[in-house]
């Protein structure tokens, strides 16, 4: 029984009825805001390819944190830029390392803000790869040994949750064991389960100073052409103890987000990565798109695809838009 009895336009007649039948609502509760913290003093340095996103030193970052808290954003994801890099990224487990100091600063001054740490090595290694090198490739199991030290030091500093992003095999199990045996049974793991070897990370590598000195990350991050492999990765991470799984990037991988949503019953995060942010910002600056509307449409599409949580550099702008229209 189609037309004229069925007229779908009836439910689109005005904003009131559209609100009633709307299937997806983006809220501030869905968002995690990434923050870059650089070792040093008096730093508030805009990242050229990411307008409105800065690297902050700890003595300046309150400006940013106060805004995050006042916008009622629930969580931040911390990335550190250390002053000291070496072959293995030892600053990642230094009690006085940049991230450890940042965690303590935030938990002391903004106890209600949920602090998630990125667990990886690429910003801390002299070669920019995500772990310990052996024969010009990242050695999986040696990297896991250092990951153990890194997560324990994050938890000791007060991190609420850890998020391993290096795509090492067995990393979730390793972290779960390390945390449990050190008195941190209640610290959850958000696993970057399906993280693709993506060119959309370009601006981030400039932001975090983490470009590999040689080669690329294709021996550890996933091939963008693969779909079923993402389901295998997620299954392994859940078996190993992941509390939340993630797809990254988000936009070119909305099908993967939906596949995971349909197949697993754990909270699902999606990372709206730097390149996705930069493209919208750039087109907005050119006057070619309505930046705010494209931002909202884009993030809504990620949630509609099945993400429960969205990590995005737009978090503050979305929170403002939801508040003020
Ligand atoms: C590093 C890491 C990357 C991102 C988060 N953690 C980039 C990479 O793998 O080179 C990307 C985030 C973004 O592009 O916004 N493990
Ligand atoms: Zn890395």
């Amino acid at each position: 029984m189609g037309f004229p009895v069925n007229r779908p336009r009836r439910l689109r007649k005005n904003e009131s009825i559209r609100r009633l039948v709307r299937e997806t609502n983006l809220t501030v509760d869905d968002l995690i805001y990434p923050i870059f913290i650089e070792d040093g003093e008096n730093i508030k340095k805009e990242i050229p390819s990411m307008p409105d996103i800065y690297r902050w030193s700890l003595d300046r970052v309150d400006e940013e944190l106060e805004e995050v808290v006042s916008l009622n954003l629930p969580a931040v994801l911390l990335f550190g830029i250390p002053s000291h890099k070496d072959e293995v990224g030892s600053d990642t487990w230094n009690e006085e390392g940049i991230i450890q100091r940042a965690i303590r600063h935030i938990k002391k001054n903004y106890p209600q803000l949920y602090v998630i740490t990125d667990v990886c090595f690429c910003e801390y290694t002299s070669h920019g790869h995500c772990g310990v090198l052996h024969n010009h490739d990242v050695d999986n199991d040696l990297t896991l040994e250092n990951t153990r030290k890194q997560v324990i030091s994050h938890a000791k500093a007060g991190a609420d949750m850890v998020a391993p992003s290096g795509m090492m095999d067995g990393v979730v199990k390793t972290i779960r064991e390390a945390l449990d045996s050190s008195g941190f049974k209640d610290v959850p793991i958000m696993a970057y389960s399906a993280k693709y070897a993506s060119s959309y990370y370009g601006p981030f590598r400039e932001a975090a100073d983490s470009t590999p000195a040689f080669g690329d990350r294709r021996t550890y991050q996933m091939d963008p052409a693969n779909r079923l492999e993402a389901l295998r990765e997620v299954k392994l991470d859940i078996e190993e103890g992941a509390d939340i799984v993630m797809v990254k990037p988000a936009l070119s991988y909305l099908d993967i987000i939906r596949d995971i949503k349909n197949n697993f019953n754990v909270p699902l995060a999606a990372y709206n990565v730097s390149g996705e942010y930069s493209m919208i910002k750039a087109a907005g600056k050119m006057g070619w798109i309505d930046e705010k509307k494209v931002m909202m449409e884009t993030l809504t599409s990620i949630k509609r695809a099945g993400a429960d949580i969205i990590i995005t550099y737009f978090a503050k702008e979305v929170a403002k838009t939801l508040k003020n229209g």
Side-chain angles (χ1 to χ4, degrees), residues 118 120-123 128-130 165-166 195 217 220-221:
D118 182 70
C120 199
F121 296 92
C122 45
E123 302 113 80
H129 277 285
C130 300
S165 67
K195 177 174 179 181
R217 303 204 201 290
Y220 38 106
Q221 298 179 347

Side-chain angles (χ1 to χ4, degrees), residues 119-292:
V119 172
C120 199
F121 296 92
C122 45
E123 302 113 80
Y124 302 83
T125 50
S126 40
H127 44 77
H129 277 285
C130 300
V132 181
L133 289 186
H134 185 70
N135 293 336
H136 285 268
D137 193 9
V138 175
D139 185 283
N140 195 86
D141 298 11
L142 289 176
T143 302
L144 292 184
E145 285 312 307
N146 291 342
T147 303
R148 221 183 271 281
K149 296 185 263 186
Q150 182 179 172
V151 290
I152 292 172
S153 88
H154 287 184
K156 276 190 179 149
D160 292 299
M161 176 155 82
V162 295
S165 67
M167 288 298 279
M168 293 301 123
D169 295 336
V171 71
V172 174
K173 178 162 188 265
T174 301
I175 291 176
R176 193 65 273 154
E177 282 172 3
L179 292 174
D180 288 358
S181 61
S182 314
F184 299 107
K185 289 193 172 57
D186 293 333
V187 173
I189 301 169
M190 176 165 67
Y192 286 66
S193 303
K195 177 174 179 181
Y196 288 86
S198 170
S199 298
Y200 284 95
Y201 306 147
F204 174 93
R205 292 180 186 172
E206 175 181 26
D209 195 16
S210 63
T211 308
F214 65 89
D216 52 45
R217 303 204 201 290
R218 285 185 293 176
T219 69
Y220 38 106
Q221 298 179 347
M222 281 179 57
D223 185 335
N226 291 358
R227 179 178 181 185
L228 300 175
E229 186 185 2
L231 298 177
R232 296 200 295 273
E233 282 279 7
V234 165
K235 181 162 180 280
L236 286 172
D237 281 357
I238 293 172
E239 285 166 3
E240 290 182 22
D243 299 279
I244 299 174
V245 298
M246 193 200 298
V247 174
K248 175 183 177 182
L251 287 184
S252 289
Y253 302 88
L254 294 178
D255 57 332
I256 311 297
I257 294 174
R258 175 46 58 185
D259 280 346
I260 293 171
K261 189 67 183 173
N262 288 348
N263 282 284
F264 298 96
N265 183 20
V266 296
L268 173 59
Y271 200 139
N272 175 228
V273 301
S274 56
E276 303 174 48
Y277 175 84
S278 299
M279 290 195 303
I280 292 177
K281 281 287 182 187
K285 274 194 189 313
M286 293 298 287
W288 290 345
I289 58 170
D290 181 328
E291 183 180 316
K292 218 199 242 184

